Structure formats: C-alpha cells, structure tokens
Amino acid sequence: VMEPNAVGSTIGMLSSRVHSLIALYSPKLIRPIGLDEGVLSPIFDEEFGDEEELIGFFGQFRGQVAAMIRILVDVFPAETIVATRDAFDVLLRKHSILCGDYLDARGRTTQRSSSVLELEGFGTILENVLGSISVTKLQSDVASSSYAIDILRLLATWRSKDPLLRATQFNLLTSLRNVMIVAANASIEGDELLLLVLDLCFCGLESGESWEVEPVPKETVAGDAVTMLRRRAGACLIAIGKAMPQVLVRHLEKLASRVSEMITRGGLREMQRMHCLEMLVAISNAVEDPNERIALVAQIAGDSVREWTSEEYTTMVSSPMALLTNCLGIDVAPYTINADQSIVSSIIHRVHGISNSLNTLQSISRRVLPSSSLQKSSSSPSLSSLNNTNHQSQYLPLSSSPPSLSKMHGSSSNLSSHTQDHVHSLQGIGGTKKVTISPFAPLWPTVLPNVIALIRSLHGIWSPSCTQHLLNSQTQSPQASSQSPPSIGLGYILSMSDQEITYKTNLSGITQPKMPGVDGASGAVYEQGGETLLGSSLEEMRKRWLNELRTVAYVMLGTAASHGSLYELQGAADAVISAFLSDIEYMEHRHLSLLLKHAIEPFVLNCPSHQLSIILPPLLAPLIQHCLKRLSTSWQYIDIDEAKFTST
C-alpha cells in the first residue's frame, strides 16, 4: 500500500508525462503496410508468418493503447485533451500542403501514403479521448471543453483538396460528435462551428474528380477515392444527425432548404440523396408535435413513395416473370456479350430506380423513432388526426404534396381505426401503459402492397415452373458462332453471386471484403454513371440485384413489424404470412436464413401479446414443419455420405 505522499507524487509524475505518452504512441498507431507487391516486406517477414498474423497483432496492440488512453482521459481529462490538441495541431500542419509518398499519377494520395496512414492512426487517439468522454463530463469541466472545442475547430477549418485526405477528415469529425454538442450549446460561435461541419459534409456529397469544380453532375463517373469521400461525408452527416437531433432541430428549416437545393440542382447521386434524407429524418425525431413529425416524414419520403407505388414499378413486381423481364430484361439482353449497350444501360437504370426507391424508404423507416410515449389526454392528438398527413410541414420544401394513402383492404381509414382500437386495449391494462406511434405508420398502407408482391415474385423465381422456363430458354451461347444451335439457358440467374461467395468464404473476419457497387451499411446498389458496376458482367449483376432486392424487402417487413403496422392494418398480417410461406419449399437454404433473420424473427418478436394466439399459429405451424423436414432431408444425405466414406 502506497503512502499518501507517494500516491500524490506518482499522480503528479504521470500528469506531467501525458504529453510524452500521446506523442510517443500516436506514430505507433499507423496501420502497417504488410504487403509489397504481394510479398511481406522484410521488416515484417522476420516476425510474422503472413499478413493476417501481422494485422491480428496490430489490432491487439491498438486495443491495448486505446485502453491506456481511456484511463488517461478518465484520470487526467484536461491534460490528456490538451496533449491531444497539441499533437493534432502539429500533424495537421504537417499535412496541410499536399505532398508525400506513394502518390498516384495525378499527384493524389493513396491508401499507402504516409499522410493518410498518420491521420487514420491518430483517429484512434481522437476516438478514445473525445469519443469516449460524455457530454455531461465535458460540460462540467470548463478547461476540458475549451480544449476539446479547439480540436474540433482545428479539424473543421483544416482544408485539403485531396479526396482520400478529405475522406479521412470526415472519419475524424465523426468521432467528435459529443464535442459538437458541447460547442453548439456553449455559444453562438460553437453553433456556427457545427454548421461549418455540416457545410463540409454537404460539399463532400457533391465532390468530383476535379479539385476546382464542385458540385459536379451526378452522371459524372467517379473514381474510388471520390466515391469513398462521398460515402464518408454522408456517414458523417447521418452520425451527427443521430447524435444531436435536439441541437439541430432549430436549424431544420435551413438544412432542409440546403438539401432541397442540392436535389433540385441534380448533383446528388441516389446514395448521397438517401444520406441527406436520413439525416433529416434523424433530426425530425426531436420535433415535439406528433402531427408535425408525421407531416415531416411524409414529405421526406414523398418522392420515394410515389416512385415505389407507380404503375411501372407495380407492374415490375407483380409476378416472377414480370420481375425478370420488365425489370431485369432477360428477354432483350440475356447475356452481356453482343448485348446492345443502350439496352444494358436501360436495364441498369430500371433496376437502380426500383432499388434506390426501396432502399430510401427502408433507410427512412429505420431512422424514424416512435413518438415520445403518448398518454391519452386532452392535449394529445387522436390517432386519426395523426393519420392525416394532408398538411404541409413548416420545414420541408422537398415535395409539392405528401403522398395519399393507398388501400390495403377496404378503406384507407383502416390504419387509423385499427390503431385506435389497439391503443384503447393497451390503455385498458391497468390504465397506465404508454403508447408509442411511429410517424411512418400512415405510409405503410401505401408501401406494403408492393413489398409483399416483390417477396412473392422473388420466391416464385425458384418455383418449378419458373426454373424450368429459365433452364429451357433457347438462348444462344455467348461463345457459340451464329451457325451453332442454341445451347444454354438462363439458369445462371439462380446461382450465387460472386458477392455472396466472397462474404461466405471470408471466414477470418480480419479484413472486410470490398464489394464494388454495393453500400456496406445497407447493401444498396449505387449508380456508376450509367455503366456496368465497375466492369461487372450483366449476368453477375442480375444475381447480385436479386439478392439485394430480397434482403431489403425482408428488412422492410421487419421494420414494419417493429413499428406495429403489420398487426394493426386489416389483412396485413395474413398477406405477410402468405408471402413468407409462398414457394418456401423451393427456397434455397441461403434464402431461408435471410427470411428467418430479417423478416420472420422481428415479425414474431414484435407481435402484440393479445394477438399471439391469432396471428402466429398460421405462420409457425407450417414453418416449423417445413424446417424440420428440410433439416431431416439435409442430414439424411450427410449421413448417407458419411456411411459411404466409412465403408470405403
């Protein structure tokens, strides 16, 4: 046990060495470049057997340094933050002028450049110093909050034209979310600093290959660095919106006008447009008036709802063959080779349209939080009034008018009447239970019919009638000459895409495989300027598209279940159960696992307790019987194979 004087002396010594510790370990957090033209560089080859072993060691080392930094900031918050500020200032000054090693042909940094690696490495320190400290602790310590705001100001005012460095800047800004909250609440200057960060994000969403001209038309083909920059700008925008809706709600009108201006100008690609809408939805969660929140969400989602429920898209998802022909175009361009480029571009445009509208609706619906728990009182609006979205929000100029509600079964008032009954029954239990209402609820009657139709069509593609049609289609082999007889069908559509194979075979978990053309967070297909996805063949893209549409459709139903709409809409639960079980006996194992995880599990878990005995038996009884039969059949073949192997 140390004497009090010794304890004080030790703490004083550590406090004086915080600067030295930060300066010592920040260079050691640089990600190692293990491979040099496919071979481990000599310095790493001495100690590590392969790159995975090297990366594993580095991850463990970084975790230990992060733990040490969290202890320092907990014991010496002001000293650690000021040491971080001083080290960060030196680093930003060092890389304020574009120069360095491993530059590309145009003089831009690459993933191996020291400037990118050093900024990424310092992100570990920022995340553990300022990302782990709470807003309350920062606000209670004037010195610490002042130093933290200095770091935010340094990063927000740092300028670089290099796409990778700007992308790294957005990553670092994301770790300073708590500092932004403190700054915005502390002073007008801090609030302006927050708006400056948001302006950086908006500019990043419209960035292009040219360093001088921004924004650029969305049709312009972007390279990998610019694509990463746009994605990280969007991710930063969403993270800020989610972290501080109560702070940003006072700027909602200004932010909505900026988003509307960008959409009108046409500089946003679909993925970046989705990010902007997600940010607005996240901020709308802080609007207190439930009527106003519903109007906001209706207008944010208005364009996507109209696209998704249009006659063109309704026809596309109406049947398996309609999806394959009207959407994927297997009748006009069965193969990439010898396909007319204008037809291929038209197919890609159609698939992007239906995928983007569905992904946008999914993104909006999952960002919407239920209205703050409502007690039935004279001051709370009725659910029938909440269902009425026929009034404009004071904030959003995004759509000329909110979408009208379609019919699931009977009249469009079903949602209101059945939700009202559900509310009364819940409040009858003890008279004190609170009720939450999703602002997206009035839109589900419009959105769900085509989602259910899409799931039935996707399941139907693997039915015997459709698979036989695909396998027996008389199409010319790409390798055959014009005199050769037709030799192959369209069975490739039923096989697994390279994307799925890559994810399933990446068992180490150390590195995340990069799949071109797919957003990592939501699985959304993004545009590539009207061209095929980074050189992918039409055959490969079709397999990928089917998997992406299936996943997002399942997730949509899972989200609808979490909102409670599937149990309140008349006939919705029956229609969803029918879609779940449609052609399930022909479904592949990989598809069934997706269905169980993303759709059936949330459907079961969110079912109201008083409806369990009514809704779940028609689903679970045939589903469990089918799963038992599927497992028994699969194990039977495994047992037979094992018996043959043992006998030989």
Side-chain angles (χ1 to χ4, degrees):
V1 180
M2 298 178 66
E3 294 292 333
N5 291 338
V7 173
S9 176
T10 302
I11 291 177
M13 179 188 66
L14 288 175
S15 175
S16 64
R17 295 191 177 183
V18 169
H19 273 78
S20 301
L21 288 172
I22 296 295
L24 173 65
Y25 280 101
S26 57
K28 298 181 184 299
L29 293 171
I30 297 175
R31 172 171 49 88
I33 306 176
L35 288 178
D36 187 9
E37 297 182 355
V39 181
L40 279 173
S41 58
I43 191 170
F44 295 129
D45 195 33
E46 290 184 11
E47 300 291 336
F48 303 100
D50 53 29
E51 188 184 21
E52 286 198 356
E53 186 179 341
L54 166 64
I55 296 175
F57 170 81
F58 175 70
Q60 183 179 14
F61 169 75
R62 184 169 52 185
Q64 292 172 341
V65 173
M68 181 197 70
I69 291 173
R70 287 194 295 270
I71 293 174
L72 287 176
V73 78
D74 188 53
V75 179
F76 312 112
E79 292 85 347
T80 306
I81 294 175
V82 74
T84 303
R85 181 199 64 182
D86 294 344
F88 195 43
D89 186 25
V90 172
L91 184 63
L92 291 179
R93 290 177 184 275
K94 176 181 177 182
H95 299 301
S96 60
I97 302 175
L98 183 62
C99 60
D101 51 2
Y102 293 104
L103 302 180
D104 64 12
R106 292 174 292 182
R108 302 182 183 185
T109 59
T110 63
Q111 293 286 359
R112 299 170 65 90
S113 298
S114 298
S115 53
V116 175
L117 295 173
E118 289 179 14
L119 285 173
E120 284 181 352
F122 203 86
T124 300
I125 294 179
L126 282 183
E127 178 65 36
N128 287 280
V129 171
L130 297 175
S132 60
I133 192 169
S134 66
V135 174
T136 304
K137 189 171 183 178
L138 272 178
Q139 289 176 331
S140 63
D141 188 337
V142 177
S144 296
S145 62
S146 176
Y147 298 144
I149 293 172
D150 286 344
I151 294 175
L152 175 61
R153 186 179 295 106
L154 284 173
L155 185 56
T157 55
W158 182 68
R159 291 292 181 268
S160 174
K161 294 182 178 181
D162 185 82
L164 274 183
L165 291 180
R166 290 177 65 190
T168 307
Q169 180 185 21
F170 287 122
N171 262 7
L172 299 178
L173 283 169
T174 303
S175 65
L176 302 182
R177 300 185 297 274
N178 289 347
V179 182
M180 295 179 199
I181 297 175
V182 173
N185 290 329
S187 63
I188 296 177
E189 181 186 359
D191 199 40
E192 292 175 350
L193 187 59
L194 173 60
L195 294 177
L196 174 62
V197 173
L198 293 174
D199 185 68
L200 284 176
C201 294
F202 286 133
C203 291
L205 293 175
E206 293 185 305
S207 59
E209 294 292 343
S210 172
W211 292 1
E212 289 76 24
V213 181
E214 290 185 5
V216 297
K218 68 178 181 180
E219 293 80 11
T220 306
V221 178
D224 289 344
V226 173
T227 299
M228 181 185 296
L229 165 60
R230 292 172 178 172
R231 287 187 180 182
R232 290 189 179 177
C236 182
L237 198 65
I238 295 171
I240 294 173
K242 289 176 60 181
M244 56 196 81
Q246 291 82 5
V247 175
L248 292 174
V249 70
R250 58 178 177 259
H251 300 298
L252 185 53
E253 184 174 0
K254 181 186 297 185
L255 296 175
S257 297
R258 178 67 180 270
V259 172
S260 179
E261 176 188 338
M262 294 168 69
I263 293 175
T264 303
R265 188 165 54 229
L268 292 178
R269 293 195 174 187
E270 289 301 325
M271 186 60 63
Q272 282 67 56
R273 176 177 175 271
M274 186 190 307
H275 289 158
C276 287
L277 298 183
E278 286 188 60
M279 180 267 298
L280 292 178
V281 171
I283 299 173
S284 75
N285 291 325
V287 175
E288 295 182 357
D289 183 3
N291 279 317
E292 189 62 40
R293 280 197 67 198
I294 285 185
L296 277 166
V297 173
Q299 288 184 262
I300 292 172
D303 289 340
S304 297
V305 170
R306 278 184 283 274
E307 292 172 2
W308 175 242
T309 57
S310 65
E311 183 178 353
E312 178 187 7
Y313 290 176
T314 301
T315 302
M316 285 184 188
V317 302
S318 60
S319 69
M321 289 309 301
L323 186 63
L324 292 172
T325 56
N326 296 351
C327 183
L328 300 186
I330 63 170
D331 54 337
V332 293
Y335 298 100
T336 303
I337 296 179
N338 298 328
D340 186 277
Q341 187 58 41
S342 62
I343 295 177
V344 174
S345 299
S346 176
I347 293 171
I348 294 174
H349 178 75
R350 287 201 304 269
V351 178
H352 283 165
I354 195 170
S355 177
N356 288 329
S357 61
L358 188 59
N359 272 302
T360 301
L361 290 173
Q362 163 56 18
S363 300
I364 292 173
S365 63
R366 72 191 175 105
R367 297 292 180 194
V368 171
L369 299 179
S371 296
S372 56
S373 300
L374 298 173
Q375 295 281 9
K376 188 171 178 61
S377 65
S378 57
S379 61
S380 297
S382 66
L383 287 176
S384 58
S385 68
L386 290 181
N387 189 42
N388 178 18
T389 60
N390 294 321
H391 63 279
Q392 288 279 50
S393 163
Q394 63 174 320
Y395 298 108
L396 296 179
L398 296 177
S399 303
S400 57
S401 61
S404 60
L405 299 182
S406 66
K407 304 174 182 178
M408 177 67 75
H409 280 286
S411 68
S412 60
S413 63
N414 282 328
L415 174 62
S416 173
S417 62
H418 285 267
T419 307
Q420 187 71 56
D421 293 340
H422 186 50
V423 168
H424 287 310
S425 65
L426 286 176
Q427 290 183 337
I429 303 175
T432 60
K433 188 164 185 178
K434 296 181 179 180
V435 179
T436 58
I437 303 167
S438 169
F440 200 87
L443 301 179
W444 283 118
T446 310
V447 172
L448 280 176
N450 276 0
V451 176
I452 294 173
L454 174 61
I455 289 177
R456 297 184 70 93
S457 297
L458 287 167
H459 289 190
I461 292 176
W462 273 258
S463 65
S465 59
C466 192
T467 55
Q468 286 301 316
H469 174 81
L470 293 173
L471 294 172
N472 297 331
S473 294
Q474 297 299 300
T475 55
Q476 185 70 37
S477 169
Q479 289 81 19
S481 63
S482 58
Q483 290 77 25
S484 302
S487 56
I488 61 174
L490 298 167
Y492 67 83
I493 289 177
L494 305 174
S495 60
M496 191 180 296
S497 68
D498 291 344
Q499 177 195 36
E500 293 177 86
I501 295 172
T502 301
Y503 278 114
K504 289 182 181 296
T505 55
N506 183 52
L507 301 180
S508 67
I510 292 178
T511 56
Q512 180 73 8
K514 178 186 177 184
M515 296 309 303
V518 179
D519 177 65
S522 62
V525 179
Y526 65 83
E527 294 185 43
Q528 286 291 328
E531 299 181 358
T532 56
L533 300 182
L534 300 181
S536 298
S537 67
L538 194 57
E539 295 89 330
E540 176 60 26
M541 286 192 293
R542 283 182 174 132
K543 294 184 287 185
R544 187 183 304 178
W545 288 333
L546 286 177
N547 188 57
E548 298 292 347
L549 289 173
R550 180 188 296 271
T551 302
V552 73
Y554 289 164
V555 174
M556 280 285 285
L557 287 187
T559 304
S562 68
H563 289 181
S565 298
L566 296 183
Y567 319 104
E568 297 159 359
L569 280 166
Q570 182 180 3
D574 294 338
V576 168
I577 291 172
S578 176
F580 285 163
L581 299 176
S582 64
D583 295 308
I584 193 173
E585 62 270 27
Y586 310 116
M587 190 180 293
E588 295 186 26
H589 293 337
R590 58 191 173 110
H591 297 152
L592 181 59
S593 63
L594 286 176
L595 176 64
L596 291 172
K597 176 182 178 181
H598 295 301
I600 292 181
E601 181 178 329
F603 181 80
V604 172
L605 294 179
N606 289 284
C607 184
S609 58
H610 69 285
Q611 292 182 291
L612 288 173
S613 60
I614 301 172
I615 293 179
L616 295 188
L619 169 65
L620 295 183
L623 177 65
I624 292 174
Q625 290 177 358
H626 169 75
C627 289
L628 180 61
K629 180 180 178 180
R630 181 181 287 253
L631 290 171
S632 301
T633 305
S634 300
W635 279 109
Q636 179 182 0
Y637 285 114
I638 294 175
D639 292 339
I640 292 174
D641 290 341
E642 286 184 350
K644 290 181 179 178
F645 178 78
T646 304
S647 63
T648 57

